Amino acid sequence: MSKFEYVKLADAIASDISNGTLRPGDRLPPQRNFAYDRGIAVSTASRVYTELLRRGLVVGEVGRGTFISGDIRRKVEMPSEPAEARINFEVNYPLLPQQWAMIAKSLAGLERVDALESALRVSTSTGTRSARNAAAAYLARKDFAPQAEQIVFTANGKQSLAAALAALVPTGGRCGVEALTYPYVKSIAARLGITLVPIPMDELGARPDAIQKAHREAHLSALYLQPIIQNPLGVTMNATRRADIMRVAEKLDLTIIEDAVYGFLADDTPLAALGPDRCIVIDSLSKKVAPGLALGILVAPPRLRESVMSAVRTGGWIASGHALAAGQRLMADGTVAELTRLKRIDASRRQQTAARLLAGYQLAADPRSYHLWLTLPPHWRSQTFVAAAARRGIALTPSSTFAIAHGHAPNAVRLALAPPSLEQLDSGLRTIVSLLGTKEEDLDSTE
């Protein structure tokens, strides 16, 4: 069958999706059955399904089959804008009732004429010396003490990730990432012309042997990893795994982009402590403080600092002077440190509530984390479960949003525990437990 003929078959299915003949959640037949019904080779059916996956029209669930996607407009499965749900378990920004008074106290005086005159001047990728000093001091932890000269700023964590990728991976190049990972890396890489190569994981995170295999087959330019409280699985690498990862990176001459955005919830040693010349650390104030103060921070090795600064400038990712001034105050006077302490307590309390209410179900979570990974019972599928929860006013994120490889999303959902109030958390989890015990076909017959 020619390329145009198998594309025509994919186009026909796309048309059925567009006109409503096939609806989100509908299951396509197994490829062998599809091939038999149309009198084509199984290999050709595989090409049709691969084309549908490439277009984002279908999603695959391991061991369950291929299903029509919930959003046919997306070519890259990505989180949407924050849902207008009664209870939001989707977007993970922890906010405490007492934090606003703390932030206001820290920023008092920033409205003065002399403070504004300084804050509203043209900013640069490295900000001011005082801002760099404050960031370096705040980020320092056990065995890791970045120098102020290593600090580069962006407007938020996503821009820090984009700048690090742009500095390390050429257009058309490849970056190894955990098979399930932070969703926005997919769209950022696509816009930069970078191919992401999924690295298989185990209970400790990315596997060193899998990194070596991926590099042999795809010649990676860099790695993007979340070694501490990984999103979405909550995995934290132990000391042995961190050392093994660094040995592999040294052997293959790979630089690691270490995402430390959730690292504030734990005291584990970062990868950069083991290989300071081998890691670019990216961080942000959005979760530590608030999403409206999303100052991005990069810690770059001296050999890469100029490349990172150039990427920030050319990408238009420079932080505003006002955000720098606010971030500097919050870090220097201990406000961020105190918010970190309080949010650690809050996260632990929420995890305890979730573990109690979801007892008996398969969970993956760090007890210090603000999110958890819930494997669904066999009678549910990820996207259908998300849709059923949405009808009850609960927003969740399906596994396909985090999967790098099309068709390799496990049958699971991520729950962000930070957004709901404690009362909503209890109520929402109880609703989820009730839904888990209900069979999908029972809902179809009654709703």
Side-chain angles (χ1 to χ4, degrees):
M1 175 172 281
S2 72
K3 174 181 178 181
F4 296 105
E5 289 173 311
Y6 88 79
V7 169
K8 284 181 180 178
L9 275 175
D11 288 342
I13 295 174
S15 178
D16 287 343
I17 296 172
S18 180
N19 64 30
T21 302
L22 291 172
R23 298 179 298 172
D26 284 353
R27 185 178 186 273
L28 293 181
Q31 293 181 19
R32 189 171 298 278
N33 294 3
F34 182 88
Y36 179 81
D37 291 343
R38 287 161 177 77
I40 60 176
V42 174
S43 60
T44 302
S46 177
R47 296 176 74 184
V48 174
Y49 278 45
T50 299
E51 174 66 13
L52 294 170
L53 283 165
R54 187 191 67 79
R55 299 185 193 183
L57 299 177
V58 298
V59 294
E61 295 182 6
V62 178
R64 298 181 64 85
T66 303
F67 301 85
I68 305 302
S69 172
D71 187 347
I72 64 171
R73 297 169 297 177
R74 296 181 186 172
K75 292 187 178 181
V76 178
E77 184 71 17
M78 286 296 302
S80 60
E81 292 292 326
E84 292 185 6
R86 180 174 58 86
I87 301 177
N88 192 330
F89 286 111
E90 188 173 19
V91 182
N92 215 11
Y93 288 108
L95 301 173
L96 306 177
Q98 66 269 43
Q99 73 176 55
W100 309 114
M102 296 168 60
I103 294 170
K105 181 179 179 181
S106 178
L107 300 185
L110 191 55
E111 78 284 357
R112 293 197 319 264
V113 172
D114 58 332
L116 286 175
E117 182 182 2
S118 174
L120 299 183
R121 292 181 183 274
V122 175
S123 187
T124 68
S125 61
T126 57
T128 62
R129 172 167 292 278
S130 55
R132 293 195 300 274
N133 287 337
Y138 170 72
L139 293 176
R141 58 174 60 199
K142 181 175 58 178
D143 301 324
F144 179 59
Q147 301 301 304
E149 291 72 23
Q150 295 178 260
I151 302 296
V152 179
F153 295 104
T154 64
N156 56 52
K158 298 181 184 69
Q159 292 184 6
S160 292
L161 173 54
L165 284 170
L168 294 176
V169 187
T171 301
R174 298 174 177 86
C175 180
V177 301
E178 293 141 331
L180 295 166
T181 191
Y182 176 54
Y184 283 101
V185 71
K186 294 191 283 186
S187 60
I188 292 170
R191 291 185 181 279
L192 293 174
I194 293 170
T195 298
L196 299 179
V197 179
I199 305 296
M201 306 171 69
D202 59 20
E203 69 279 1
L204 295 177
R207 290 179 9 224
D209 64 310
I211 293 173
Q212 296 188 74
K213 182 175 185 292
H215 188 61
R216 284 196 305 269
E217 296 176 352
H219 190 67
L220 305 176
S221 296
L223 294 169
Y224 166 68
L225 302 175
Q226 303 170 76
I228 302 175
I229 306 185
Q230 196 261 2
N231 180 23
L233 299 179
V235 173
T236 294
M237 294 182 183
N238 63 17
T240 301
R241 177 56 56 87
R242 291 195 298 271
D244 290 343
I245 291 287
M246 289 311 305
R247 276 194 290 270
V248 168
E250 289 281 354
K251 176 184 176 181
L252 302 179
D253 192 25
L254 289 173
T255 299
I256 297 172
I257 301 170
E258 179 175 6
D259 189 334
V261 167
Y262 281 107
F264 75 102
L265 294 170
D267 291 319
D268 296 75
T269 302
L271 285 172
L274 304 180
D277 193 52
R278 191 59 64 183
C279 296
I280 295 178
V281 179
I282 60 175
D283 211 329
S284 166
L285 295 187
S286 61
K287 297 188 189 301
K288 300 174 183 66
V289 183
L293 209 164
L295 180 66
I297 306 170
L298 298 106
V299 181
R303 66 183 178 87
L304 294 171
R305 186 169 181 262
E306 289 296 329
S307 296
V308 171
M309 290 166 56
S310 175
V312 172
R313 290 193 302 269
T314 57
W317 299 318
I318 293 174
S320 73
H322 197 270
L324 277 167
Q328 175 191 326
R329 283 169 172 251
L330 290 160
M331 288 185 286
D333 68 7
T335 300
V336 180
E338 179 61 11
L339 285 174
T340 294
R341 186 187 71 83
L342 294 172
K343 290 185 179 184
R344 287 185 176 194
I345 296 170
D346 182 57
S348 176
R349 180 179 180 182
R350 289 167 183 268
Q351 281 287 352
Q352 291 172 20
T353 298
R356 173 172 52 83
L357 293 176
L358 293 170
Y361 292 98
Q362 186 177 341
L363 305 178
D366 188 307
R368 304 165 293 182
S369 171
Y370 266 117
H371 58 267
L372 63 83
W373 187 251
L374 169 64
T375 297
L376 298 175
H379 59 266
W380 274 110
R381 291 181 296 108
S382 176
Q383 289 211 338
T384 309
F385 187 80
V386 170
R391 290 196 291 271
R392 286 155 178 77
I394 295 177
L396 303 171
T397 309
S399 58
S400 56
T401 300
F402 303 93
I404 294 298
H406 289 303
H408 287 77
N411 191 36
V413 295
R414 190 199 72 166
L415 276 68
L417 303 180
S421 67
L422 292 174
E423 293 75 18
Q424 288 179 325
L425 180 69
D426 186 279
S427 171
L429 289 174
R430 290 181 186 277
T431 300
I432 288 172
V433 169
S434 175
L435 193 58
L436 287 168
T438 305
K439 291 190 176 181
E440 183 178 332
E441 54 267 28
D442 292 339
L443 290 177
D444 291 339
S445 64
T446 60
E447 294 192 8

